[in-house]
Amino acid sequence: MLKRHAPLFEALFIASDLLIVSVAWSLSYWLRFASDWFPVDKGIPPFIDYFRMNIFLWLIWAWVYKRFGLYRPMRGSRRLREIWLVIQANFVAVIAFLAFTYLFREKSVPFSRLVFLIFGIVSTILIIASRSAVRGFLRAMRRRGYNKRFALIVGAGDLARQIAHRITSHPEYGVELFGCLSSGKEKRAEKLTGSASHVKFKIVGTYQDLPKIIENHAIDQIIVALPLSDHNKMKSVIASIGDAIMDVRIVPDFHQFIQLGSRVEDFDGLPVVSLASTPLSGINRVAKRITDVCLGMLFLIAALPLMLIIGALVKLTSSGPIFFTQQRVGLDGRAFTMYKFRTMIMDAEADGARFAVRGDSRVTPLGRFLRRFNLDELPQLINVVLGQMSLVGPRPERPVFIKEFRRHVPKYMLRHKVQAGMTGWAQVNGWRGNTSIEKRIDYDLYYIENWSLALDLKILGLTVVNGFRDRNAY
């Protein structure tokens, strides 16, 4: 069984990571004090003082990486997931190392903060590069048939078919499908059909045959993927596995209930499956907020002269206030006051709330120009800096319209699981203004499920490249 080799691979990864962080620590010292890239005003500290910190470096990195799950098997994981985990783990480890050295250092041994900054960048790059190289090598070997694991799927429904398709479609995972067990109703051999190419779906027995197959065949991994109709048999299936020494994984059949994405959370030691989760939590939310504050302040300062000119023109061309404030709904369904330059006449909604239409007589001539180029939305940079909005996210809607939309548009309220934005994935794809609500929701939910800082920057870039002109504005 290949499971017995797992500790060896884990030990090799640990040794490799610790060697790399040591090299990165020494390299950072050299870059700071011996490379002539940075001025040295207070003398060069002895290298031995930095070298002695390696023991603490190893302890911190090994513990942090272990806590982040970077030494677990990642055969079926995406490369980007491991890269993001390394970035997060390195950030935490560098902060912990920095705190440790400054808390327990001797007064005669000052450590350069610039060394820590260089070290954080260099160690992250080197570890990502080394792990990518190792993972790439292992994937290449698995494609050639080396280092394989044999998997047995308990279940023969749609969920089992999806798992079988993923296994057979990714030889780089190094998993070979031995077969599937059914309740006894299915035929002994079937084929996967659908959008994927035809893949053999071999049923090798029933649930009752599980102990015999475990005993007579070299199975490394059992994947329990019972359909909902067979979940009452879960207890007997697990009992059949007994104390067999192999990986056992359970894939619950709840795909039809997932609203956004799913993840397993810990609730006081109990695993809890979340059916509506987003990547925007924890450190991701902090990273997005930092980006919003930094870029929001930069954009606000850059746009301030233009905003002063627009404010003066609004005041000179029509009676009423410069700014128009309105209640909108943002994160977690909470209402906030959104700022815009006023583009309509006073008391434009005296007869009740309604959308603007083409040729709307309530819109002022200047307001029509501002709407066309979305310049009326520049004051929302204030909302971004205050934390009420984000630069990128689903556009916020008014409470009066939300009550109507949620009755007719499935999953409409899920868009409020993230901060409302000045621009979004729907908007850069042309779905803004008086366009299909259903399409906008589809794009909003795609953004929420697939969020990343890279996607945010892409949307901001597309907003700038495509210009601010809104062809659907009235």
Side-chain angles (χ1 to χ4, degrees):
M1 296 240 180
L2 289 169
K3 186 176 176 65
R4 63 174 174 264
H5 297 303
L8 174 61
F9 282 112
E10 180 178 339
L12 289 174
F13 267 107
I14 293 174
S16 172
D17 288 341
L18 298 187
L19 175 62
I20 287 172
V21 294
S22 290
V23 170
W25 180 241
S26 299
L27 181 59
S28 301
Y29 173 90
W30 180 85
L31 289 172
R32 171 64 183 91
F33 297 112
S35 66
D36 295 329
W37 288 7
F38 305 98
V40 180
D41 301 323
K42 299 179 180 180
I44 300 177
F47 175 70
I48 191 65
D49 292 337
Y50 282 77
F51 184 78
R52 288 195 189 105
M53 300 306 297
N54 270 302
I55 182 65
F56 304 108
L57 195 74
W58 296 337
L59 292 173
I60 291 171
W61 251 256
W63 184 80
V64 171
Y65 271 44
K66 189 83 171 177
R67 295 291 296 176
F68 272 81
L70 282 163
Y71 297 122
R72 296 173 186 166
M74 293 188 179
R75 284 177 179 248
S77 300
R78 297 177 180 177
R79 290 188 182 184
L80 285 177
R81 177 177 178 272
E82 183 177 16
I83 291 172
W84 182 231
L85 281 175
V86 168
I87 292 172
Q88 294 179 76
N90 248 36
F91 178 79
V92 172
V94 169
I95 296 299
F97 187 44
L98 179 64
F100 178 85
T101 54
Y102 275 80
L103 192 61
F104 296 101
R105 67 174 180 170
E106 298 178 10
K107 291 184 179 180
S108 59
V109 186
F111 290 96
S112 169
R113 284 170 290 184
L114 186 55
V115 169
F116 285 96
L117 177 61
I118 297 170
F119 171 62
I121 297 171
V122 171
S123 62
T124 301
I125 292 172
L126 291 181
I127 289 177
I128 288 175
S130 69
R131 280 178 165 257
S132 296
V134 172
R135 298 291 184 193
F137 172 75
L138 291 176
R139 283 183 168 92
M141 295 300 291
R142 289 165 189 154
R143 286 193 191 98
R144 296 173 180 269
Y146 298 100
N147 190 27
K148 277 196 172 183
R149 290 177 183 262
F150 293 90
L152 174 69
I153 300 177
V154 181
D158 290 337
L159 180 60
R161 293 168 183 269
Q162 292 180 44
I163 295 170
H165 173 62
R166 282 166 171 77
I167 290 174
T168 54
S169 299
H170 294 279
E172 69 273 14
Y173 292 166
V175 179
E176 185 170 316
L177 183 60
F178 176 79
C180 302
L181 300 181
S182 73
S183 61
K185 303 173 185 177
E186 295 84 353
K187 298 177 181 178
R188 295 290 292 189
E190 296 184 359
K191 282 187 177 182
L192 276 173
T193 58
S195 59
S197 57
H198 292 291
V199 181
K200 287 190 176 182
F201 184 84
K202 186 179 180 184
I203 296 178
V204 295
T206 64
Y207 302 155
Q208 289 75 24
D209 298 323
L210 183 55
K212 182 174 61 177
I213 291 176
I214 292 174
E215 183 179 351
N216 297 330
H217 299 277
I219 304 297
D220 298 290
Q221 190 177 98
I222 294 177
I223 304 173
V224 181
L226 299 179
L228 279 178
S229 58
D230 287 346
H231 264 223
N232 60 325
K233 300 175 182 176
M234 178 70 76
K235 186 175 181 180
S236 61
V237 166
I238 299 301
S240 298
I241 298 173
D243 58 355
I245 305 174
M246 60 188 62
D247 289 330
V248 180
R249 302 183 179 185
I250 297 176
V251 183
D253 188 12
F254 54 68
H255 283 72
Q256 61 268 45
F257 305 121
I258 295 176
Q259 295 177 303
L260 272 178
S262 63
R263 68 180 178 192
V264 178
E265 301 172 345
D266 180 85
F267 180 71
D268 196 24
L270 293 175
V272 178
V273 179
S274 173
L275 298 181
S277 64
T278 77
L280 266 171
S281 60
I283 194 170
N284 289 348
R285 179 169 290 187
V286 173
K288 183 173 175 66
R289 180 61 189 146
I290 292 173
T291 304
D292 282 338
V293 171
C294 295
L295 292 182
M297 287 292 293
L298 182 64
F299 293 157
L300 183 59
I301 293 170
L304 193 56
L306 178 60
M307 292 173 65
L308 291 174
I309 295 172
I310 293 174
L313 291 174
V314 171
K315 194 67 177 176
L316 291 171
T317 56
S318 62
S319 60
I322 294 174
F323 294 107
F324 174 70
T325 60
Q326 196 174 66
Q327 287 289 297
R328 296 291 177 106
V329 176
L331 180 65
D332 295 329
R334 293 194 297 265
F336 68 95
T337 301
M338 190 182 76
Y339 302 103
K340 298 178 69 174
F341 284 118
R342 183 173 56 83
T343 59
M344 289 188 175
I345 60 174
M346 289 294 295
D347 300 322
E349 293 191 335
D351 298 328
R354 56 190 173 96
F355 284 112
V357 296
R358 190 173 296 280
D360 200 314
S361 60
R362 299 174 299 164
V363 181
T364 66
L366 176 63
R368 189 164 286 109
F369 173 81
L370 295 178
R371 282 171 170 255
R372 178 67 65 182
F373 294 95
N374 292 311
L375 295 174
D376 59 320
E377 296 177 1
L378 286 177
Q380 290 164 35
L381 288 168
I382 299 172
N383 293 112
V384 172
V385 174
L386 292 175
Q388 299 164 330
M389 290 179 64
S390 174
L391 288 172
V392 180
R395 288 292 296 159
E397 194 50 81
R398 300 167 66 179
V400 64
F401 294 134
I402 287 177
K403 291 179 182 178
E404 181 68 22
F405 292 153
R406 71 182 304 182
R407 285 201 295 264
H408 302 291
V409 183
K411 300 183 179 180
Y412 180 85
M413 292 303 291
L414 293 177
R415 68 202 300 271
H416 298 116
K417 290 185 73 67
V418 299
Q419 200 86 286
M422 290 185 65
T423 184
W425 186 237
Q427 284 65 46
V428 297
N429 282 282
W431 300 103
R432 66 180 304 151
N434 193 16
T435 55
S436 169
I437 293 294
E438 290 79 6
K439 280 291 185 181
R440 270 187 272 168
I441 298 305
D442 287 343
Y443 279 87
D444 286 342
L445 296 184
Y446 173 87
Y447 166 77
I448 295 171
E449 289 183 46
N450 297 277
W451 177 87
S452 67
L453 281 178
L455 180 58
D456 272 3
L457 295 175
K458 176 181 179 180
I459 292 171
L460 288 173
L462 288 172
T463 301
V464 173
V465 170
N466 295 339
F468 293 94
R469 188 179 181 190
D470 184 0
R471 296 175 177 81
N472 298 308
Y474 302 135

